[in-house]
Amino acid sequence: MTDNIEVLISSAAIKKRVEEIGRQISDDYFGKQITLICVLKGGVIFMVDLARNIEVPVELDFLEVSSYDNATESSGIIKINKDLKNPITGKDVLLVEDIIDSGRTLSMLVRHLQSQEPASLKVCTLLDKPDRRTVPDVEPEYVGFVIPDEFVVGYGLDYAQKYRNLSYIGVLKFQETPDEK
Ligand code: IMP
Ligand code: MG
């Protein structure tokens, strides 16, 4: 099978938006220090670019959860594979996600992080697919782009671990080869 990718958000548009969000976060957290928590692996490229655009001091930490098993639909089962290195109690935490789809991952992560009593907890996501939301109780404070209900790859997002290194975000169009029809 060959995958066809159509550009949805160019790398120039991503760069501009990441700079804007970085400025907004720098203003909102003026005088504070932020603990940025990246949800691996999809959020990593966004988080490093975002961190470079934030002017207040930041600490970085990482979490890994699994919810998708090499498919485009959520299994509904979310597991923490890798937890934070440092405690976040009393810290100003900003959770950095690649995309919010059903909202299940975010809802579970927010509960997990809130239980450690950070001073504050906000969410920043590069992409939001609000049409797909089944768990509406948690909403991100910072959103890069609202996108339609399409499966996207690039700039950290994958399909079966591929395409994370694309500098743009594209819609993955699944093509059937003659044998598969
Ligand atoms: P949720 O729990 O349904 O909100 O799923 C969130 C996670 O599913 C994201 O962090 C991604 O890892 C993955 N995901 C959801 N939609 C897409 C997509 O369009 N492309 C790639 N990964 C996606
Ligand atoms: Mg993710």
Side-chain angles (χ1 to χ4, degrees):
M1 192 177 84
T2 50
D3 300 328
N4 177 22
I5 299 170
E6 280 174 15
V7 179
L8 180 68
I9 307 168
S10 69
S11 63
I14 297 171
K15 182 170 183 288
K16 182 166 170 278
R17 188 70 188 115
V18 173
E19 287 168 1
E20 285 170 3
I21 300 174
R23 270 197 297 277
Q24 197 187 337
I25 291 171
S26 304
D27 287 349
D28 293 352
Y29 287 85
F30 184 77
K32 295 185 176 172
Q33 169 164 324
I34 313 175
T35 301
L36 289 178
I37 296 180
C38 171
V39 185
L40 293 170
K41 306 172 195 160
V44 75
I45 291 179
F46 176 43
M47 184 170 92
V48 296
D49 281 351
L50 183 65
R52 283 184 284 206
N53 284 282
I54 294 178
E55 284 166 13
V56 301
V58 300
E59 257 183 67
L60 307 179
D61 209 342
F62 302 87
L63 264 174
E64 190 185 344
V65 297
S66 49
S67 60
Y68 278 60
D69 287 315
N70 289 354
T72 58
E73 284 292 319
S74 170
S75 60
I77 302 159
I78 293 151
K79 192 170 120 237
I80 294 184
N81 299 329
K82 184 207 170 297
D83 212 337
L84 299 173
K85 176 88 174 158
N86 296 318
I88 55 165
T89 309
K91 304 244 174 167
D92 289 303
V93 173
L94 185 58
L95 183 62
V96 180
E97 262 281 25
D98 52 355
I99 188 165
I100 301 171
D101 189 35
S102 70
R104 269 192 287 257
T105 311
L106 183 61
S107 164
M108 190 231 39
L109 282 175
V110 165
R111 250 180 293 131
H112 176 70
L113 297 175
Q114 285 289 18
S115 71
Q116 298 173 44
E117 302 186 347
S120 68
L121 174 61
K122 290 187 187 178
V123 177
C124 176
T125 187
L126 176 66
L127 303 175
D128 189 8
K129 273 193 214 172
D131 295 348
R132 299 258 307 168
R133 200 76 91 255
T134 57
V135 184
D137 59 330
V138 276
E139 285 300 328
E141 270 80 12
Y142 306 98
V143 176
F145 302 91
V146 173
I147 62 163
D149 180 9
E150 303 263 23
F151 194 81
V152 292
V153 294
Y155 199 71
L157 291 115
D158 73 307
Y159 172 66
Q161 301 302 323
K162 280 196 295 184
Y163 308 122
R164 294 193 195 276
N165 56 324
L166 299 179
S167 60
Y168 59 90
I169 290 165
V171 176
L172 187 62
K173 301 281 179 191
F174 296 95
Q175 287 184 328
E176 284 181 8
T177 59
D179 315 329
E180 289 169 328
K181 279 195 180 139

